[in-house]
Amino acid sequence: MVIKTFQKRNVRILLVGDQGVGKTSLILSLVSEEFPENVPAKAEEITIPADVTPEQVPTNIVDYSSSEQTDEELNEQIKHASVICVVYAVDDDDSVDRISSYWLPLIKLSHPDGSCPVVLVGNKIDLVDYSTIDGVYSIMEEFSEIETCIECSAKTLKNISEMFYYAQKAVLHPTGPIYSVDNSD
Ligand code: GTP
């Protein structure tokens, strides 16, 4: 018997989310292991070689900045992503509301079959003494493409490497349902 295994050649992680939620800071914190006091509008695309990633797969990390990129460029990046981290700030309710009102519908336009996994990332956990995870679970119930969610802080580095590991894992070991129940009628 021949067992064919599906090998991804690389993982392309795209970070999207509202302005100021900390996308660039998350990337720079991961790379330099310290919180950047001065952040550029957009981080350069980063390539992490296979041998230093937990899953041994070359990984690209791509930032998005609305001040530097057009909607067309954003849509191109969404199309080419293998996983998308939708970042919100835990202290900014509007950025949470826009996960389901803007970001997930936008991603769905490029991946209508839900083929691109999504990780919800709640950043700036250092600023609050509560968790947003319960609220986020209701969004996860509505959008099956969300693989998982995590809260973190680019400032204290809490859960930063975990967040990128979850994103890698969402591509390589998806836990999505093997069937979905059609509730449309
Ligand atoms: P745009 O490029 O405008 O889309 O923003 P962005 O999402 O890339 O956010 P950026 O990394 O530029 O961070 C915005 C502000 O939030 C900066 O002043 C950061 O220092 C701050 N910031 C980012 N992450 C954290 C965090 O974990 N905790 C705190 N307290 N501040 C943070």
Tab-separated table of all heavy atoms in Angstrom, residues 17-26 35-37 39-42 63-67 123-127 152-156, ligand 1:
chain	number	residue	atom	x	y	z
A	17	GLY	N	-5.568	43.410	9.930
A	17	GLY	CA	-6.261	43.935	11.106
A	17	GLY	C	-6.259	45.451	11.037
A	17	GLY	O	-5.529	46.047	10.235
A	18	ASP	N	-7.076	46.060	11.895
A	18	ASP	CA	-7.229	47.510	11.852
A	18	ASP	C	-5.918	48.237	12.152
A	18	ASP	O	-4.997	47.671	12.743
A	18	ASP	CB	-8.305	47.935	12.861
A	18	ASP	CG	-9.700	47.670	12.324
A	18	ASP	OD1	-9.823	47.112	11.217
A	18	ASP	OD2	-10.671	48.043	13.012
A	19	GLN	N	-5.912	49.514	11.808
A	19	GLN	CA	-4.727	50.348	12.060
A	19	GLN	C	-4.411	50.387	13.552
A	19	GLN	O	-5.315	50.549	14.373
A	19	GLN	CB	-5.023	51.774	11.612
A	19	GLN	CG	-4.666	52.018	10.173
A	19	GLN	CD	-4.547	53.513	9.868
A	19	GLN	OE1	-5.172	54.333	10.535
A	19	GLN	NE2	-3.760	53.848	8.876
A	20	GLY	N	-3.147	50.235	13.866
A	20	GLY	CA	-2.701	50.451	15.235
A	20	GLY	C	-2.904	49.292	16.187
A	20	GLY	O	-2.634	49.411	17.392
A	21	VAL	N	-3.371	48.133	15.693
A	21	VAL	CA	-3.591	47.001	16.600
A	21	VAL	C	-2.271	46.307	16.981
A	21	VAL	O	-2.231	45.523	17.938
A	21	VAL	CB	-4.579	45.954	16.010
A	21	VAL	CG1	-5.974	46.535	15.903
A	21	VAL	CG2	-4.097	45.425	14.660
A	22	GLY	N	-1.205	46.593	16.204
A	22	GLY	CA	0.115	46.074	16.580
A	22	GLY	C	0.683	45.001	15.667
A	22	GLY	O	1.563	44.243	16.076
A	23	LYS	N	0.250	44.970	14.399
A	23	LYS	CA	0.720	43.936	13.465
A	23	LYS	C	2.250	44.007	13.287
A	23	LYS	O	2.946	43.009	13.421
A	23	LYS	CB	0.037	44.111	12.086
A	23	LYS	CG	-1.470	44.007	12.151
A	23	LYS	CD	-2.124	44.282	10.819
A	23	LYS	CE	-2.036	45.714	10.332
A	23	LYS	NZ	-2.759	46.713	11.156
A	24	THR	N	2.738	45.214	12.975
A	24	THR	CA	4.176	45.372	12.731
A	24	THR	C	4.960	45.062	14.006
A	24	THR	O	5.996	44.390	13.967
A	24	THR	CB	4.471	46.810	12.243
A	24	THR	OG1	3.576	47.118	11.175
A	24	THR	CG2	5.898	46.953	11.769
A	25	SER	N	4.446	45.523	15.138
A	25	SER	CA	5.146	45.273	16.415
A	25	SER	C	5.247	43.784	16.699
A	25	SER	O	6.272	43.304	17.195
A	25	SER	CB	4.401	45.948	17.571
A	25	SER	OG	4.264	47.329	17.339
A	26	LEU	N	4.187	43.030	16.384
A	26	LEU	CA	4.213	41.579	16.622
A	26	LEU	C	5.327	40.920	15.817
A	26	LEU	O	6.082	40.092	16.322
A	26	LEU	CB	2.863	40.955	16.250
A	26	LEU	CG	1.706	41.227	17.201
A	26	LEU	CD1	0.377	40.827	16.566
A	26	LEU	CD2	1.900	40.490	18.517
A	35	PHE	N	10.550	44.349	22.253
A	35	PHE	CA	9.489	45.228	21.755
A	35	PHE	C	10.113	46.444	21.078
A	35	PHE	O	10.930	47.139	21.678
A	35	PHE	CB	8.618	45.666	22.939
A	35	PHE	CG	7.470	46.559	22.568
A	35	PHE	CD1	6.486	46.141	21.679
A	35	PHE	CD2	7.341	47.826	23.132
A	35	PHE	CE1	5.411	46.950	21.349
A	35	PHE	CE2	6.269	48.648	22.818
A	35	PHE	CZ	5.308	48.205	21.922
A	36	PRO	N	9.751	46.704	19.822
A	36	PRO	CA	10.334	47.862	19.138
A	36	PRO	C	9.661	49.153	19.611
A	36	PRO	O	8.441	49.279	19.539
A	36	PRO	CB	10.003	47.585	17.663
A	36	PRO	CG	8.774	46.738	17.705
A	36	PRO	CD	8.779	45.977	18.987
A	37	GLU	N	10.449	50.094	20.100
A	37	GLU	CA	9.850	51.369	20.557
A	37	GLU	C	9.399	52.207	19.360
A	37	GLU	O	8.374	52.868	19.412
A	37	GLU	CB	10.849	52.153	21.424
A	37	GLU	CG	11.103	51.533	22.805
A	37	GLU	CD	9.827	51.372	23.649
A	37	GLU	OE1	8.845	52.132	23.445
A	37	GLU	OE2	9.819	50.459	24.512
A	39	VAL	N	8.210	51.906	15.578
A	39	VAL	CA	7.802	50.933	14.558
A	39	VAL	C	7.610	51.617	13.212
A	39	VAL	O	6.955	52.657	13.140
A	39	VAL	CB	6.461	50.245	14.914
A	39	VAL	CG1	6.650	48.825	15.336
A	39	VAL	CG2	5.646	51.042	15.876
A	40	PRO	N	8.148	51.014	12.144
A	40	PRO	CA	7.834	51.542	10.814
A	40	PRO	C	6.378	51.248	10.496
A	40	PRO	O	5.738	50.442	11.182
A	40	PRO	CB	8.771	50.741	9.898
A	40	PRO	CG	9.054	49.473	10.641
A	40	PRO	CD	8.968	49.805	12.105
A	41	ALA	N	5.831	51.853	9.439
A	41	ALA	CA	4.434	51.582	9.073
A	41	ALA	C	4.256	50.115	8.705
A	41	ALA	O	3.226	49.509	9.007
A	41	ALA	CB	4.023	52.480	7.911
A	42	LYS	N	5.298	49.542	8.074
A	42	LYS	CA	5.155	48.179	7.589
A	42	LYS	C	6.500	47.466	7.717
A	42	LYS	O	7.535	48.035	7.368
A	42	LYS	CB	4.720	48.242	6.114
A	42	LYS	CG	4.474	46.919	5.464
A	42	LYS	CD	3.831	47.142	4.085
A	42	LYS	CE	3.702	45.855	3.326
A	42	LYS	NZ	4.972	45.286	2.909
A	63	ASP	N	3.528	41.532	6.444
A	63	ASP	CA	2.794	42.581	7.164
A	63	ASP	C	1.851	43.290	6.192
A	63	ASP	O	2.042	43.243	4.973
A	63	ASP	CB	3.831	43.580	7.711
A	63	ASP	CG	3.254	44.525	8.752
A	63	ASP	OD1	2.101	44.339	9.191
A	63	ASP	OD2	3.987	45.473	9.145
A	64	TYR	N	0.849	43.948	6.738
A	64	TYR	CA	-0.028	44.778	5.904
A	64	TYR	C	-0.173	46.140	6.583
A	64	TYR	O	-0.296	46.224	7.805
A	64	TYR	CB	-1.414	44.127	5.751
A	64	TYR	CG	-2.479	45.108	5.330
A	64	TYR	CD1	-2.461	45.663	4.053
A	64	TYR	CD2	-3.463	45.527	6.225
A	64	TYR	CE1	-3.400	46.607	3.677
A	64	TYR	CE2	-4.419	46.467	5.850
A	64	TYR	CZ	-4.380	46.994	4.583
A	64	TYR	OH	-5.305	47.941	4.218
A	65	SER	N	-0.134	47.179	5.777
A	65	SER	CA	-0.363	48.522	6.317
A	65	SER	C	-1.271	49.298	5.379
A	65	SER	O	-0.947	49.468	4.201
A	65	SER	CB	0.968	49.261	6.463
A	65	SER	OG	0.706	50.625	6.746
A	66	SER	N	-2.400	49.762	5.901
A	66	SER	CA	-3.345	50.481	5.034
A	66	SER	C	-2.762	51.817	4.569
A	66	SER	O	-3.163	52.339	3.538
A	66	SER	CB	-4.670	50.708	5.761
A	66	SER	OG	-4.450	51.496	6.902
A	67	SER	N	-1.782	52.356	5.317
A	67	SER	CA	-1.225	53.636	4.884
A	67	SER	C	-0.230	53.456	3.741
A	67	SER	O	0.125	54.416	3.068
A	67	SER	CB	-0.566	54.364	6.060
A	67	SER	OG	0.503	53.613	6.549
A	123	ASN	N	-4.046	41.219	20.514
A	123	ASN	CA	-2.769	41.792	20.979
A	123	ASN	C	-3.013	42.831	22.089
A	123	ASN	O	-4.137	43.240	22.338
A	123	ASN	CB	-2.051	42.426	19.778
A	123	ASN	CG	-0.653	42.909	20.127
A	123	ASN	OD1	0.057	42.280	20.921
A	123	ASN	ND2	-0.234	44.028	19.549
A	124	LYS	N	-1.952	43.213	22.751
A	124	LYS	CA	-1.916	44.252	23.800
A	124	LYS	C	-2.548	43.758	25.102
A	124	LYS	O	-3.168	44.532	25.834
A	124	LYS	CB	-2.574	45.570	23.340
A	124	LYS	CG	-2.023	46.119	22.008
A	124	LYS	CD	-2.396	47.562	21.787
A	124	LYS	CE	-1.989	48.041	20.403
A	124	LYS	NZ	-2.234	49.465	20.155
A	125	ILE	N	-2.383	42.475	25.382
A	125	ILE	CA	-2.961	41.906	26.596
A	125	ILE	C	-2.328	42.538	27.850
A	125	ILE	O	-2.910	42.489	28.940
A	125	ILE	CB	-2.813	40.353	26.566
A	125	ILE	CG1	-3.751	39.674	27.559
A	125	ILE	CG2	-1.399	39.892	26.744
A	125	ILE	CD1	-5.173	39.666	27.116
A	126	ASP	N	-1.165	43.175	27.682
A	126	ASP	CA	-0.518	43.863	28.823
A	126	ASP	C	-1.320	45.067	29.302
A	126	ASP	O	-1.119	45.543	30.428
A	126	ASP	CB	0.895	44.323	28.415
A	126	ASP	CG	0.869	45.258	27.203
A	126	ASP	OD1	0.613	44.779	26.073
A	126	ASP	OD2	1.082	46.456	27.358
A	127	LEU	N	-2.258	45.554	28.478
A	127	LEU	CA	-2.993	46.779	28.841
A	127	LEU	C	-4.267	46.507	29.623
A	127	LEU	O	-4.886	47.442	30.127
A	127	LEU	CB	-3.374	47.565	27.573
A	127	LEU	CG	-2.234	48.184	26.771
A	127	LEU	CD1	-2.793	48.904	25.540
A	127	LEU	CD2	-1.438	49.160	27.641
A	152	CYS	N	-2.104	37.794	23.109
A	152	CYS	CA	-0.654	37.955	23.261
A	152	CYS	C	-0.301	39.423	23.496
A	152	CYS	O	-1.182	40.295	23.513
A	152	CYS	CB	0.046	37.436	22.009
A	152	CYS	SG	-0.399	38.351	20.531
A	153	SER	N	0.980	39.666	23.682
A	153	SER	CA	1.449	41.048	23.816
A	153	SER	C	2.793	41.194	23.125
A	153	SER	O	3.764	40.532	23.503
A	153	SER	CB	1.591	41.420	25.299
A	153	SER	OG	2.342	42.611	25.416
A	154	ALA	N	2.823	42.065	22.121
A	154	ALA	CA	4.106	42.357	21.467
A	154	ALA	C	5.030	43.036	22.470
A	154	ALA	O	6.253	42.922	22.393
A	154	ALA	CB	3.879	43.266	20.257
A	155	LYS	N	4.437	43.729	23.459
A	155	LYS	CA	5.242	44.510	24.397
A	155	LYS	C	5.965	43.615	25.403
A	155	LYS	O	7.152	43.783	25.665
A	155	LYS	CB	4.343	45.501	25.133
A	155	LYS	CG	5.125	46.450	25.996
A	155	LYS	CD	4.320	47.658	26.337
A	155	LYS	CE	5.209	48.673	27.018
A	155	LYS	NZ	4.568	49.975	27.101
A	156	THR	N	5.236	42.654	25.987
A	156	THR	CA	5.878	41.783	26.990
A	156	THR	C	6.381	40.478	26.363
A	156	THR	O	6.955	39.651	27.055
A	156	THR	CB	4.880	41.416	28.109
A	156	THR	OG1	3.815	40.647	27.524
A	156	THR	CG2	4.306	42.649	28.787
B	1	GTP	P1	-0.710	50.077	11.089
B	1	GTP	O1	0.612	49.939	10.372
B	1	GTP	O2	-1.155	51.492	11.239
B	1	GTP	O3	-1.775	49.227	10.498
B	1	GTP	O4	-0.485	49.603	12.634
B	1	GTP	P2	-0.007	48.215	13.207
B	1	GTP	O5	-1.179	47.312	13.367
B	1	GTP	O6	1.153	47.692	12.427
B	1	GTP	O7	0.437	48.617	14.689
B	1	GTP	P3	1.904	49.017	15.186
B	1	GTP	O8	2.765	47.818	15.316
B	1	GTP	O9	2.388	50.161	14.358
B	1	GTP	O10	1.530	49.502	16.671
B	1	GTP	C1	0.648	50.585	16.918
B	1	GTP	C2	0.915	51.135	18.317
B	1	GTP	O11	0.583	50.138	19.296
B	1	GTP	C3	2.387	51.483	18.561
B	1	GTP	O12	2.434	52.654	19.344
B	1	GTP	C4	2.931	50.292	19.339
B	1	GTP	O13	4.006	50.641	20.183
B	1	GTP	C5	1.696	49.893	20.146
B	1	GTP	N1	1.706	48.460	20.490
B	1	GTP	C6	1.858	47.423	19.650
B	1	GTP	N2	1.794	46.253	20.302
B	1	GTP	C7	1.574	46.553	21.602
B	1	GTP	C8	1.401	45.767	22.793
B	1	GTP	O14	1.434	44.535	22.807
B	1	GTP	N3	1.169	46.449	23.950
B	1	GTP	C9	1.141	47.806	24.000
B	1	GTP	N4	0.908	48.383	25.193
B	1	GTP	N5	1.298	48.585	22.908
B	1	GTP	C10	1.510	47.967	21.724
